[in-house]
């Protein structure tokens, strides 16, 4: 099972949302100034969210 975590200590509100905008499966969503994970089982393991996060706050484990 896929495990997605967002390290909110690293997540910068000014850049918040790049990962959610890049996610083709819409697993990551923006809720105010926070990234939330929804429908984790929909993740395709493409790791685009990890690649675009400027603070390396998103992590995916298979």
């Amino acid at each position: 099972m896929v495990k997605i975590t967002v390290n909110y200590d690293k997540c910068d509100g000014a850049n918040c949302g790049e990962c959610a905008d890049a996610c083709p499966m819409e697993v990551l969503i923006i809720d105010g100034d926070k990234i939330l994970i929804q429908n984790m089982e929909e993740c395709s393991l493409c790791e685009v969210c990890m690649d675009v996060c400027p603070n390396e706050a998103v992590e995916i484990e298979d």
Side-chain angles (χ1 to χ4, degrees):
M1 180 172 190
V2 175
K3 180 181 177 188
I4 304 169
T5 55
V6 177
N7 182 335
Y8 294 109
D9 291 333
K10 290 183 175 181
C11 189
D12 177 10
N15 293 318
C16 189
E18 290 182 41
C19 58
D21 291 341
C23 180
M25 305 307 289
E26 298 180 355
V27 174
L28 301 175
I29 61 167
I30 302 170
D31 184 21
D33 62 348
K34 201 169 194 178
I35 300 296
L36 299 180
I37 302 163
Q38 67 173 6
N39 303 322
M40 198 175 307
E41 65 277 357
E42 299 286 323
C43 180
S44 66
L45 298 170
C46 69
E47 299 185 358
V48 167
C49 56
M50 290 175 51
D51 293 339
V52 300
C53 180
N55 300 324
E56 298 178 357
V58 180
E59 192 170 309
I60 298 175
E61 297 174 36
D62 186 10

